[in-house]
Amino acid sequence: MGDHENPQLFKNGDIMLGGIFSFHSSWKNSQDEYNQKPQQLQCTSLHFRDFQFAQAMRFGIEEINNSTELLPGITLGYNVYDTCGSIARSVKVALSLVNGNEGKASPLKACSKPAQVQAIIGETSSSPSTAIAAVLGPFHIPIISHFATCACLSDKSKYPSFLRTIPSDYYQSRALAHLVKHFGWTWIGAVRSNDDYGNSGMATFTETAQQLGICLEYSVSFFRTDPTGKIQKSIDIIKASTSKVIVAFLSPMDLDVLLREFSQNNLTGYQWVGTEGWIFDYQTATIDVNHILDGAVGLSIPKAHISGFREFMLDVKPLNSPKNDLECTGHEDLTGVENGFTDMSLMPIVNNVYKGVYAVARALHNILKCNKTCDTSILQHIQKIQFKTKEGDEVYFNENGDPPAKYEIINWQPRENNTVEFVYAGLYDVSLPADKQLTLQNKSLIWTQNSVPVSVCSEKCPPGTRKMLQRGKPVCCYDCMRCAEGEMSNVTDSITCVKCLAEFWSNERRDACVKKEELFLSYEEIMGALFTAASLFGTCLTAAVAFIFFRYRKTPLVRANNSELSFLLLFSLTLCFLCSLTFIGRPSEWSCMLRHTAFGITFVLCVSCVLGKTVVVLMAFKALSPGKRVIKMFGPTQQRLSVLGFTFVQVIICILWLTLSPPFPIKNFKEYKDKIILECSLGSAVGFWSVLGYIGLLAVLCFIFAFLARKLPDNFNEAKFITFSMLIFCAVWITFIPAYVSSPGKFSVAVEIFSILASSFGLLICIFIPKCYIMLLRPESNTKKSMMAKRPPKAF
């Protein structure tokens, strides 16, 4: 393996700890110039990040060795390897650490030798950590990673000896999804490293995002060593996309490659959402000279501080390596130097390494204290460990070997001189209730567009509309369809429109249900007012006629026309005019019962009086033996009894109707979709038509009798006028039947009122107005002589 076969950092001790880091971020295979065969691994691109992590391991061990409380009298040593980012080398040096052969012995021989280190700190990345943990699991050698976050490593059936001081990506992925949802980004793109870290983390993120209603327009993966053509395909997918937010589950080294491609393709204006892998990496910010990542938000491990570590770094001596890539003597003054070597921005990860070293030391201390009376398995002791560092950080592992999950939310904010500041903007704490886990300080956030970016496939559907998915596209792509009549939605992005209750209807904007307009014939509207005026006019006119008849009650004309029945008829006509008013106004239980029964009884009373007058006239002039005997047969008493009897029959019908199935108010929703018709249900249709039929029967009888008496002498004949009145009456009510049945709502009520008023006016005008004319304008004809004079009958 060339110059990198030997440990990069080494110190002997009573108990040895192994360290596996990647001081170099990339590698390549050198080839024989002639036969083109790979000869050896050559490491390139020194990466100060992992070098700092290795120094943190050294710092912790030196601090423990100088402590009198922890492992007194015991010296810890370390053996640290550089893997150059190679998974294969990671596994090989892990076996070397376990067996002490520094990679030269075969794996079969290695398995027969006792372990040379009690625990291993590392690796930094997830993929090499999974490989190492899988290989060393049977040996029960604790492997404590400071930055391997793949959720797969929590599986104790596959990786029984793996622990870590950084939370699992299971929590980070879910936290990222909730962060994206918080800002309303439902149409996003995703880029991930094509390794265990990126693939596992993105899988959990995608699952949670779908549960939260977030859609991924694309999800591409690549590795930094992929051919340029493959990486360019990912760039082309991003260029063709419409989403403006990119969730990047990338290692810093992969992100560096992506940034170069973005710069070459002039891709800017995206909102980046990052993981703890790069969101607080100042070296990444330094590489981003085109400010592609400005305004990025993401999750970071909470800030940490280790007292004395910066001073320790500034006092580092040349590496214990045959080939020192850091070309220094160890006597340089680094106090004022600002570079990757002195950068303390990765202190949270450094602190994880520091905590891992102390976890091992605490476990060893507990084993030595129990004087061989307890289990000597260091793995079991580390799994049960719980303590606080000198800075107050609590350290413990759950049943999966993971620490508690807590993340700070970081926002990249550009500053002067092309620098970037990582500003704290909130916290995500898994230990809190679900609705309180995410807290954000929105005022602290700065966006590249000076406002929260918008990244949606379709704009939000306003109230009054619902979402309708576009065929063949994700659920985040939809059209906004206006709610149908009678339906509404009062929230944004409603997936359904709610049907209004029967008494309500949607407003014009379809965002609320308003009470339907109630329709009934009211006194305030024109039709109701006209009917009311006509009813009152008829009542007044009837009263005026009654007054005239009363004043001239002793004249021959009044006496000859059966004054008692005339006054009773005028009274019934007054009731007929007034009963029409019961049909106007809001229907109620009492008004529904009153209107039809009052109409039925008053009209029977009216028609009975007319029938009585007709019969009197007919009997007086058609009897074979006219005289006192005939008059006695149908005298005043008989006339009263006939009127009473006819009316009593109608009263019985109405009582039966009201008893068995009375009319009642209903709300008719069928005629109009946006209006309610308040009307009276007949209750029993048989009852209603029985009342109406009985009136019709009496009217027909009256018409027949009047028709028979139409040619009697004019001076004493009112049968002709009764015939005309009954003709009008029957015509009105025959026409009423089809008009009533076919008229909706209040118009059926109007038809009934019109029929009542028309027939009442017909009776009043035809029977009484001619007599009033004689009494008021032709008084000379209102004499007994004139009444007794005979005139030849006229043809009818």
Side-chain angles (χ1 to χ4, degrees):
M1 303 268 311
D3 293 333
H4 294 273
E5 289 178 345
N6 299 317
Q8 294 295 94
L9 298 173
F10 176 80
K11 180 179 179 180
N12 202 8
D14 299 325
I15 299 176
M16 297 295 293
L17 302 184
I20 302 178
F21 301 93
S22 183
F23 296 163
H24 297 80
S25 59
S26 60
W27 52 272
K28 66 179 180 178
N29 287 317
S30 63
Q31 294 180 335
D32 185 277
E33 185 176 354
Y34 299 102
N35 56 28
Q36 300 293 309
K37 293 182 179 180
Q39 296 296 314
Q40 62 180 357
L41 183 73
Q42 291 186 349
C43 296
T44 61
S45 303
L46 179 66
H47 206 276
F48 288 110
R49 186 181 70 164
D50 273 53
F51 179 73
Q52 270 193 357
F53 300 158
Q55 296 304 319
M57 178 180 174
R58 285 186 59 222
F59 175 76
I61 291 174
E62 296 294 345
E63 198 173 67
I64 293 168
N65 287 340
N66 294 328
S67 171
T68 58
E69 297 180 358
L70 194 59
L71 294 175
I74 302 295
T75 302
L76 294 180
Y78 50 83
N79 200 349
V80 178
Y81 278 91
D82 175 15
T83 65
C84 294
S86 167
I87 296 177
R89 179 169 171 80
S90 297
V91 173
K92 197 162 189 177
V93 298
L95 290 172
S96 299
L97 289 170
V98 170
N99 294 279
N101 60 5
E102 296 188 1
K104 295 179 181 179
S106 68
L108 293 176
K109 293 182 179 180
C111 293
S112 62
K113 302 175 72 172
Q116 299 299 307
V117 295
Q118 297 300 312
I120 294 177
I121 306 298
E123 241 263 18
T124 300
S125 301
S126 294
S127 291
S129 293
T130 57
I132 295 171
V135 171
L136 298 189
F139 297 103
H140 301 288
I141 302 297
I143 305 159
I144 304 179
S145 175
H146 49 281
F147 209 40
T149 57
C150 178
C152 58
L153 288 165
S154 297
D155 187 350
K156 293 296 102 178
S157 64
K158 294 181 179 179
Y159 313 107
S161 64
F162 180 83
L163 304 100
R164 52 185 159 193
T165 51
I166 188 170
S168 165
D169 275 339
Y170 171 80
Y171 302 105
Q172 178 178 219
S173 300
R174 294 174 61 84
L176 282 175
H178 284 281
L179 183 65
V180 170
K181 180 66 175 179
H182 174 83
F183 292 115
W185 300 326
T186 58
W187 185 240
I188 63 172
V191 183
R192 68 186 186 276
S193 295
N194 191 14
D195 55 16
D196 291 329
Y197 168 72
N199 293 330
S200 175
M202 188 57 70
T204 304
F205 171 83
T206 302
E207 179 183 356
T208 307
Q210 289 175 348
Q211 295 172 357
L212 296 176
I214 301 170
C215 299
L216 271 66
E217 183 181 11
Y218 60 86
S219 180
V220 296
S221 64
F222 72 96
F223 197 71
R224 55 187 173 274
T225 58
D226 285 344
T228 304
K230 183 178 179 181
I231 297 176
Q232 185 60 44
K233 286 183 180 178
S234 299
I235 295 297
D236 293 339
I237 292 173
I238 297 172
K239 288 173 66 176
S241 67
T242 59
S243 56
K244 297 300 180 183
V245 173
I246 299 176
V247 176
F249 235 102
L250 298 168
S251 68
M253 293 168 284
D254 289 338
L255 181 60
D256 294 347
V257 174
L258 187 65
L259 288 178
R260 285 198 301 270
E261 296 296 329
F262 264 65
S263 298
Q264 293 174 6
N265 287 270
N266 195 27
L267 291 177
T268 58
Y270 290 94
Q271 173 61 48
W272 291 79
V273 180
T275 62
E276 92 299 330
W278 61 268
I279 196 66
F280 62 101
D281 190 336
Y282 272 106
Q283 293 186 37
T284 300
T286 303
I287 294 173
D288 183 25
V289 293
N290 293 321
H291 299 278
I292 294 171
L293 300 177
D294 283 2
V297 293
L299 302 180
S300 165
I301 301 169
K303 289 184 176 64
H305 174 70
I306 304 176
S307 56
F309 179 70
R310 178 175 174 80
E311 292 75 15
F312 178 83
M313 284 295 295
L314 297 178
D315 194 40
V316 167
K317 296 297 185 289
L319 293 178
N320 180 19
S321 171
K323 181 179 180 180
N324 184 0
D325 291 334
L326 296 174
E327 296 179 359
C328 56
T329 64
H331 300 288
E332 292 84 359
D333 183 8
L334 304 178
T335 304
V337 176
E338 291 186 5
N339 57 23
F341 186 81
T342 59
D343 176 26
M344 294 291 113
S345 65
L346 296 178
M347 187 59 73
I349 311 301
V350 170
N351 189 44
N352 285 346
V353 177
Y354 180 76
K355 289 189 289 187
V357 172
Y358 264 84
V360 175
R362 291 276 180 180
L364 290 171
H365 186 80
N366 292 341
I367 292 174
L368 295 175
K369 273 201 323 182
C370 66
N371 296 322
K372 299 183 180 180
T373 61
C374 58
D375 191 343
T376 58
S377 170
I378 187 173
L379 177 60
Q380 292 187 8
H381 279 274
I382 293 178
Q383 290 172 337
K384 298 176 183 178
I385 205 75
Q386 185 169 2
F387 66 95
K388 286 187 177 182
T389 67
K390 63 181 181 180
E391 308 297 343
D393 297 331
E394 190 170 8
V395 180
Y396 66 91
F397 304 97
N398 63 15
E399 64 277 6
N400 296 321
D402 299 329
K406 180 186 291 186
Y407 301 95
E408 290 183 353
I409 298 169
I410 299 298
N411 178 217
W412 283 37
Q413 298 184 5
R415 295 291 186 259
E416 296 179 357
N417 301 323
N418 289 326
T419 60
V420 172
E421 182 179 355
F422 301 155
V423 177
Y424 173 86
L427 187 70
Y428 189 90
D429 190 349
V430 177
S431 64
L432 297 176
D435 59 337
K436 297 181 180 179
Q437 290 179 350
L438 178 63
T439 56
L440 274 171
Q441 300 174 357
N442 290 324
K443 293 183 179 179
S444 302
L445 295 166
I446 293 180
W447 311 100
T448 54
Q449 305 297 328
N450 298 322
S451 62
V452 180
V454 177
S455 186
V456 294
C457 182
S458 302
E459 294 295 329
K460 290 182 178 294
C461 289
T465 62
R466 66 176 177 86
K467 297 195 294 187
M468 187 177 75
L469 298 181
Q470 296 176 1
R471 182 175 296 179
K473 292 188 177 181
V475 295
C476 298
C477 301
Y478 48 81
D479 296 317
C480 297
M481 300 295 295
R482 194 174 188 223
C483 291
E485 291 183 334
E487 298 180 347
M488 72 90 186
S489 66
N490 57 3
V491 296
T492 303
D493 277 348
S494 176
I495 59 175
T496 59
C497 292
V498 180
K499 190 175 182 63
C500 295
L501 297 177
E503 296 188 7
F504 293 83
W505 194 251
S506 55
N507 59 3
E508 183 62 27
R509 296 190 302 273
R510 306 283 201 274
D511 60 358
C513 288
V514 295
K515 198 168 181 63
K516 288 181 180 179
E517 180 186 356
E518 294 179 335
L519 297 181
F520 59 89
L521 191 60
S522 66
Y523 294 101
E524 289 78 14
E525 61 181 296
I526 296 177
M527 187 187 300
L530 290 175
F531 281 139
T532 302
S535 175
L536 296 177
F537 174 72
T539 303
C540 294
L541 185 61
T542 305
V545 172
F547 175 76
I548 294 171
F549 265 64
F550 181 78
R551 184 176 179 182
Y552 295 93
R553 66 187 178 280
K554 295 182 180 181
T555 62
L557 184 60
V558 176
R559 296 178 67 183
N561 282 276
N562 198 334
S563 61
E564 187 174 341
L565 283 180
S566 295
F567 281 113
L568 187 58
L569 178 58
L570 288 170
F571 172 71
S572 64
L573 283 174
T574 302
L575 295 179
C576 287
F577 281 118
L578 291 176
C579 83
S580 65
L581 297 177
T582 63
F583 289 83
I584 304 175
R586 187 185 186 91
S588 65
E589 187 174 352
W590 284 103
S591 68
C592 287
M593 291 189 292
L594 178 63
R595 62 174 59 173
H596 291 102
T597 54
F599 152 71
I601 294 172
T602 56
F603 259 79
V604 164
L605 179 61
C606 178
V607 176
S608 298
C609 292
V610 176
L611 182 60
K613 290 171 69 67
T614 307
V615 171
V616 168
V617 173
L618 188 62
M619 293 188 69
F621 288 91
K622 290 289 186 179
L624 296 175
S625 302
K628 293 183 179 179
R629 182 170 170 270
V630 176
I631 295 299
K632 287 181 179 179
M633 288 177 61
F634 202 72
T637 302
Q638 287 78 14
Q639 294 169 24
R640 296 188 198 103
L641 289 175
S642 66
V643 171
L644 182 61
F646 287 135
T647 306
F648 181 73
V649 173
Q650 185 73 304
V651 170
I652 295 300
I653 294 174
C654 289
I655 289 174
L656 290 173
W657 184 14
L658 295 179
T659 302
L660 299 177
S661 183
F664 57 91
I666 63 169
K667 295 179 178 180
N668 186 343
F669 301 101
K670 297 179 180 179
E671 297 295 337
Y672 302 101
K673 55 189 177 182
D674 58 343
K675 296 180 178 66
I676 303 174
I677 298 176
L678 302 183
E679 58 187 8
C680 290
S681 173
L682 296 176
S684 171
V686 174
F688 173 74
W689 292 110
S690 296
V691 168
L692 203 62
Y694 184 64
I695 296 172
L697 176 62
L698 294 181
V700 170
L701 288 175
C702 187
F703 175 75
I704 293 173
F705 290 152
F707 183 78
L708 294 174
R710 72 191 185 282
K711 293 185 178 181
L712 295 178
D714 284 346
N715 285 2
F716 192 73
N717 184 17
E718 66 175 341
K720 181 174 62 176
F721 299 113
I722 293 175
T723 302
F724 278 116
S725 66
M726 286 297 103
L727 187 63
I728 294 172
F729 186 93
C730 291
V732 168
W733 286 102
I734 290 173
T735 310
F736 161 80
I737 295 173
Y740 178 82
V741 171
S742 61
S743 298
K746 66 179 181 179
F747 297 105
S748 64
V749 177
V751 168
E752 196 164 357
I753 295 174
F754 176 80
S755 300
I756 293 172
L757 294 177
S759 55
S760 299
F761 275 111
L763 291 172
L764 180 64
I765 293 171
C766 290
I767 295 175
F768 291 100
I769 295 304
K771 298 177 178 62
C772 291
Y773 171 76
I774 292 174
M775 286 185 283
L776 296 177
L777 301 178
R778 299 281 298 276
E780 69 277 5
S781 298
N782 191 8
T783 62
K784 186 174 182 179
K785 181 180 179 180
S786 180
M787 292 293 105
M788 297 301 293
K790 291 186 177 181
R791 294 182 182 179
K794 298 178 180 179
F796 183 69

